[in-house]
Amino acid sequence: MDWCTTEAFSRSDRSSSATIEASGDRKQDVGECSVWWHESGSASTCSLQRRRRPELLYNENMSSFLLRCGGRKSSHRDFGYQGRTSRQHYHCSRVDFDSQNRPENEVSIKRLPSNGLFRSYPTWRSNRILIALALLILAFSIVDEAKAEPEADPKTKTVRQWKAVGDVLPISEDEDSSYTDNKPRCDRMYDGTQQKEGIFRAPDIYNPELVSRQCLYTFVAGDGERVRLQFNRFDLRGTPPECSHEYLDIFTEATDPNKDLLKTPFGGRYCGKIAPRLRISWHKTIHIAFFTDNNITTPDLFSGTYKIINGSKYSVGIKAPDQECGFVVNVNMLKNGEFLSPTYPGVYPKNITCYWKFVGNADQRVRLEFRDFDLFYGGPHCPFDHVKMFDGADSFSPLIGTYCGQQRNLVVFSSGSSVLVTFNTLYRIADTQNRGFQGIFNISDSYLRLNFINKNDAEHIRGTECDQRILSKRTSNGTVFSPNYPFLYLPNIVCRYFIYGLQDSQNLERVRLEFFDRFDIPATPKGNKKCSDGYLRIYLRGQEVRSEYDKPDQEYCGKTLPHSVVAHGPRMLMVFSSGKTTGTGFKAHYKFETEYKIPGTASPDGLCVFSYLSSSQKSGSFNSPRHPSNYPSNTTCQFTFKPAPDEVVEIVFVTFKIRNDKPGTGVGTHRCQEDWMEIYNIYRPRYSGTEREVLKGRFCGETAPGPTQSERDAVGLRVMLHTDHSGVYSGFDAIYIFKKKEETFGECGGNITESESGELLSPNFPGNYGAPDKTDSSYCDWNIQVRPGYKVLLWFQSFAVEGNPEERGCPAAAVRVWKSADDIPVDMCGDALPSDQIQILSHSSVLRMTFLAAARAVGAKGFKAIWTEIQDSPQCNQFLCKSTNFCIPRSLRCDGIANCGLGDFSDEDRCDKASGISVLMLAGVVLGVSSSLTLVICLWCQRRRLSKKKENSLSHHVHVYDKGARFAAMDIGDRSVSPVMGTRKAAHHLSHASLRTEGVV
């Protein structure tokens, strides 16, 4: 570096004021600098050219000043004392010099306040006295400092000590060990060879011009050692990640203290109030670069401690020559020990790859246990920083696992004699402060051998000591043993048996376990706990998924053979802990059975066959396999309901959704061709053990069957579900109830014979058939039988039954009609029937109709149906309906009921005239009878009047006529009546006899 020097100012006794001894203008070139002296009038000027900013340095030993070029480049800048220039005050930092008394480093210049030690004045010559006083004060202060300084060691080389003019603030109250005379006071060097531990603080800087300052702290350890750095206080401006005006950069991977930091991996930038975490150097050096542009920096911004530690624990085994972080541990050299991530417990470096290879003998296994594990978590697959472990000597061996984040109780066993551990971190800008891992290893032949695991049925879970996984091969089975069975097992081992059945869109299984041969796990009671030492725990509800190992479903110990165990689903876990006392263990047979998740008594052969007996449960529910999940394909399920002899079973479907690829209502064999559900009545003929099934209906789609009840003479009801090879749905959910048989035809039905027509009405019609407080179902059964050679015509004059056949079927109420005894009925509901259902013609002389409303029905108006006997002959000798061409009995003509069927009222046409004649005839009869009664009454009144006159004329005499004997005979019966009264009575009877005679006449 080139410098422009001049003794422009002097403390000699030559003059009390400093003047520039030059006349006129003079230029002197020194390297890249040009120094100008200019004197004109009352002002003298010293100018620098082609440099950025001048610095005025003072040499205490030589009592001289040094003018240095520095700062921003400018074509011409005055550093002088003239009236027209602004007052500029400069503060220069400490400068070190080489053997030729040249500064070794360049330090930025800072402006001083107006009351600084040096000031510029408007004039030079007119203020000589003031300048001299200032120099005199400076001289006394320098002499005092020289007296206060201790004498230098004569053995130490004398170095010129340059001090910036105006550097009045000390670095700290207790000069720490980093301070040396040949370094600027902002940078620090901590030599671990001289002091093994200490403290560090932020620098003490006064910066009124707000010029950016950067201070470098360097911590250096000796060979085989590392630096441990811990921050105790941290309070910098800014909020991460916006660290722009004040921050701290850390470099922990420096290989050489003198290496350029631009070529050193960056360890992170920090600001705010959150201190950086613990740091440990990868080699022997740590750099801290502190940057600030604040006007004042005090030591309390940050502080911490450093310590030099032994670095041998980070090297284990033999270091690989081709890797900076690779080690090989052979059992012949080291059987057990500790291995650490490169800078544990400090923040681990970025963009590194390390490995540890542990190799034992042929009959040995390797056990690794991680006491602490803390890596950056990038997701469940660990795509960023991670640890991988391979079950072998290289990365081509089977992978045991990939780990990241925070791991607890991570213990890994090799299957063979070697294991490889790799540690990889990515280069990224994001700040992560994870500490890595601490692990221990042990290579031994005392670990359990794996020959007790049946390789045909099970597999050893890599990384575990003796855990095994048994997977179903679709309704497969096998045997499991305790380790070393039938001999004594080793103490203090824990083996887990994961027995998993199939569980996918097509399969669902459960596990059945049966113990046999022997069972010997010594029981050690302790308090209320029977199995306090060794035990066998069984988990049936998948607790291992939730890590609920403290909630077993069964726990066994002792010598009693446990009973059979069935899992609640496709998972079963067995945990065997040998404890301190040994035994021979156990032997068990496992079997995978298809799990349908259907309540009821399942078939013992594992098929989808379930039975429901009235003697076991009077009501309950059943469903398609795995409902509400989709049922599997290629499945046939059977549900059989057996009521008592005096009972029937009623089934009501709550939800229903079975695959149907054809549009329209899913009812009947012609529509349900892919998946379907069928309902059968089961009959058993007397003295026969063979059952006979009669189909009641086939259903699919979302058309739910109506409430169904077994027939009175049936022995049960059967529901069949069939699915093909493709397309699955959620299936159905239904309830069943066993109930006492009602009257033969229910509450509103009947057996109708010897009639020509009639009406069928729902309960309470035209009111609703259901009621809010109804708790039982409503059932009606009509059986209509007409003469041979005739059929039954049925048509609905009014129909309103809850449900919608096109959308959801008839789940709450349904009307069913059988056109013949062998016919399959159709469920009918809704507010309007289709044309093929509103009028039905039987196939024979018998027609049957039922109505069943479940207890869950909300009610509707119901129905009114008219049935008529129809002659089944091409010739009609009765009444021929005009539109429908039905031949109905002539007696039904003009009976006020439309018996010809839907839309045909011809049997009631031209009945008005006949009705009128009948009315006239009735009116005439009524009029004739009224006239006769009037005439009779008049004659009777006349005769009575004549009788009274005769009685008055006879006075008190009684005459006996020829006919008196008759009257006397009529009075004999009343002995107590006087003769007069008897005569009156006779006359009365005579009058009546006469009236009767006249009436007859």
Side-chain angles (χ1 to χ4, degrees), residues 761-787:
L761 304 176
S762 60
N764 202 34
F765 185 86
N768 286 1
Y769 55 78
D773 57 346
K774 188 174 180 60
T775 59
D776 197 5
S777 59
S778 297
Y779 179 70
C780 301
D781 190 348
W782 293 272
N783 189 30
I784 305 172
Q785 186 171 2
V786 296
R787 293 173 292 174

Side-chain angles (χ1 to χ4, degrees), residues 277-294:
R277 292 187 179 180
L278 174 68
R279 288 298 197 281
I280 293 180
S281 63
W282 193 353
H283 302 287
K284 64 176 184 178
T285 304
I286 290 182
H287 293 291
I288 295 178
F290 170 62
F291 175 88
T292 184
D293 60 2
N294 199 8

Side-chain angles (χ1 to χ4, degrees), residues 82-95:
Q82 58 182 351
R84 291 182 300 274
T85 59
S86 61
R87 298 184 179 183
Q88 299 180 4
H89 315 286
Y90 298 95
H91 181 161
C92 301
S93 300
R94 186 186 184 96
V95 180

Side-chain angles (χ1 to χ4, degrees), residues 171-180 188-190 195 199-202 217:
I171 185 170
S172 62
E173 297 176 358
D174 53 343
E175 297 285 346
D176 59 54
S177 61
S178 68
Y179 176 81
T180 55
R188 310 290 174 85
M189 170 68 76
Y190 297 86
Q195 188 171 345
I199 60 173
F200 62 91
R201 297 186 180 90
Y217 288 51

Side-chain angles (χ1 to χ4, degrees), residues 470-648:
I470 302 173
L471 302 179
S472 171
K473 299 174 183 177
R474 193 175 181 86
T475 64
S476 57
N477 57 81
T479 306
V480 291
F481 308 86
S482 59
N484 208 35
Y485 184 88
F487 305 103
L488 296 177
Y489 50 73
L490 297 176
N492 299 321
I493 60 173
V494 177
C495 298
R496 296 181 296 178
Y497 302 74
F498 296 88
I499 308 176
Y500 288 170
L502 297 178
Q503 184 180 16
D504 53 36
S505 60
Q506 299 299 325
N507 303 282
L508 182 64
E509 294 180 328
R510 64 182 180 185
V511 185
R512 181 181 296 272
L513 189 69
E514 295 183 356
F515 294 88
F516 66 101
D517 196 7
R518 69 180 69 176
F519 188 91
D520 180 21
I521 301 176
T524 309
K526 185 177 181 181
N528 297 329
K529 195 171 183 180
K530 177 183 177 182
C531 307
S532 62
D533 189 23
Y535 56 79
L536 175 65
R537 291 179 177 175
I538 299 180
Y539 303 82
L540 306 175
R541 296 174 287 110
Q543 290 95 323
E544 72 277 8
V545 178
R546 303 180 297 274
S547 299
E548 297 177 349
Y549 291 99
D550 59 335
K551 299 177 181 179
D553 294 290
Q554 303 291 340
E555 185 177 69
Y556 303 108
C557 62
K559 296 182 179 295
T560 303
L561 200 66
H563 56 78
S564 177
V565 179
V566 179
H568 297 174
R571 296 172 176 269
M572 178 183 287
L573 171 64
M574 303 168 58
V575 178
F576 169 63
S577 177
S578 63
K580 299 178 181 179
T581 307
T582 61
T584 57
F586 63 89
K587 182 179 181 181
H589 178 77
Y590 64 87
K591 180 181 180 181
F592 294 104
E593 301 175 344
T594 302
E595 173 59 78
Y596 301 101
K597 289 191 174 180
I598 298 175
T601 304
S603 173
D605 56 5
L607 299 177
C608 187
V609 177
F610 295 84
S611 59
Y612 306 86
L613 303 180
S614 172
S615 57
S616 299
Q617 189 173 344
K618 291 298 182 182
S619 63
S621 65
F622 69 103
N623 52 263
S624 57
R626 301 190 299 189
H627 182 84
S629 300
N630 291 343
Y631 52 75
S633 60
N634 289 327
T635 301
T636 298
C637 294
Q638 175 179 298
F639 311 85
T640 303
F641 302 87
K642 294 292 184 71
D646 61 340
E647 293 179 332
V648 294

